[in-house]
Amino acid sequence: MRARANDLVLVQGIRDTRTTLAGWNRDPGPVLRAWLLGSLAISVLLLLAVWMIAAISHPDPTPILLPGLNEKATLGSAAHVLLRNSLVLALHAFACVAGFIAGSSLPLTATQHTGTWRWIHEKAGPLAIVFVICATTFSLCTQAFALGGAASTLSAQLGISPGLLVLGLLPHALPELVALFLPLAAWIIASRRHEWDQLLAATFVTVAIAAPVLLVSSAVEVYVTPHLLRFLAG
C-alpha cells in the first residue's frame, strides 16, 4: 500500500512538472518576468544592506587578497568563485525542491494514510515550509553581514567609499545575485499563489538560466572588476 502511494505521488509530481513546463513553454514571458523582477528586488535589497553595513563597520586591518587586484588572476580563481556561487545556487534550488515536497507531495501522500501517519504528513508540510523560510532568511542575513564586513575592509584598503566600491562591483555582482536568487524568487511567488506543484519545474528552469550567468559573472569578477576598482581608486 505504501509503495503504491509513493508511486502515485511520484507519478503526480512528474505529471505536474510536465504540465507546468508545457504551459510555460507556450507563454514564458509572464513567469520569467516575475522571477527576474523578484530576484532583482532581492538583489538590490541585499546590495543596499551590504552598503549600509559596510558604511558602519570598522575595517579589518588584515588586507583582503583579491584575484586580479593584489594577487594573480587565474582560471583557478574563476573556478573558485564559480564553485562558491554554485553552492549558494544549490541551497536556493534545494529550497524550491523542499517547497515542492512540503506543499505538493506531502499533502498528496497524507491522503493515502490514516491516523497518526496522516497527522504526521499533514503537519510535516507546514513545518518544512517554516524551516525553509527560516533557513533562507538566516542565509540572506549571514551573506549581508559577511559581504558588508568584507566591503568595509576592501573600501578602506582601496581608499574609496563603501558606496563607490559597491558601484564598482555592480558589473559582476548584480547579474550574479539575480541569477543566484532566481530559485528563491520562484519559491516566494509560488508560495504566495499556493502553486507548490510548479516548484519542481521552477527548480529546473531557474538553475538552467542561472548556470551560464554565473559562469560569465565569475570571469568578469576575476578579469574585469579588479581593473574597474583600480580606476575608481585613482
Side-chain angles (χ1 to χ4, degrees):
M1 176 64 180
R2 185 172 300 176
R4 289 198 298 271
N6 290 336
D7 290 341
L8 175 62
V9 171
L10 177 61
V11 170
Q12 184 62 45
I14 294 174
R15 184 182 297 118
D16 289 339
T17 300
R18 286 177 174 174
T19 301
T20 300
L21 289 173
W24 290 346
N25 188 53
R26 288 192 296 271
D27 188 17
V31 66
L32 291 177
R33 182 165 55 251
W35 289 347
L36 288 171
L37 290 176
S39 184
L40 178 62
I42 299 171
S43 301
V44 170
L45 288 175
L46 179 60
L47 287 171
L48 288 174
V50 169
W51 173 40
M52 289 187 291
I53 292 171
I56 63 176
S57 297
H58 294 289
D60 192 319
T62 304
I64 292 178
L65 295 178
L66 197 67
L69 186 65
N70 48 14
E71 69 173 9
K72 186 177 180 181
T74 65
L75 287 177
S77 304
H80 176 74
V81 172
L82 181 60
L83 175 61
R84 180 193 66 204
N85 289 331
S86 297
L87 293 175
V88 177
L89 178 64
L91 173 65
H92 295 163
F94 284 142
C96 254
V97 174
F100 172 79
I101 295 172
S104 180
S105 295
L106 284 178
L108 183 60
T109 305
T111 63
Q112 309 301 317
H113 295 278
T114 58
T116 303
W117 276 111
R118 179 164 187 157
W119 183 86
I120 291 174
H121 280 79
E122 289 175 344
K123 298 302 179 184
L127 288 175
I129 292 169
V130 171
F131 174 78
V132 170
I133 293 173
C134 293
T136 304
T137 302
F138 175 78
S139 173
L140 290 174
C141 292
T142 302
Q143 291 180 63
F145 279 101
L147 293 173
S152 174
T153 300
L154 187 57
S155 63
Q157 185 176 321
L158 292 172
I160 58 178
S161 67
L164 190 57
L165 174 68
V166 171
L167 183 64
L169 297 176
L170 283 182
H172 81 262
L174 190 57
E176 176 184 284
L177 291 174
V178 169
L180 288 175
F181 291 136
L182 275 178
L184 182 57
W187 190 96
I188 293 172
I189 292 170
S191 66
R192 293 184 62 185
R193 298 173 179 174
H194 299 285
E195 296 173 341
W196 303 105
D197 57 317
Q198 297 185 4
L199 278 176
L200 193 57
T203 304
F204 296 141
V205 176
T206 54
V207 170
I209 295 173
V213 177
L214 293 181
L215 181 62
V216 173
S217 64
S218 64
V220 173
E221 180 174 349
V222 171
Y223 294 106
V224 177
T225 298
H227 298 288
L228 180 57
L229 293 180
R230 287 197 194 92
F231 172 78
L232 293 175

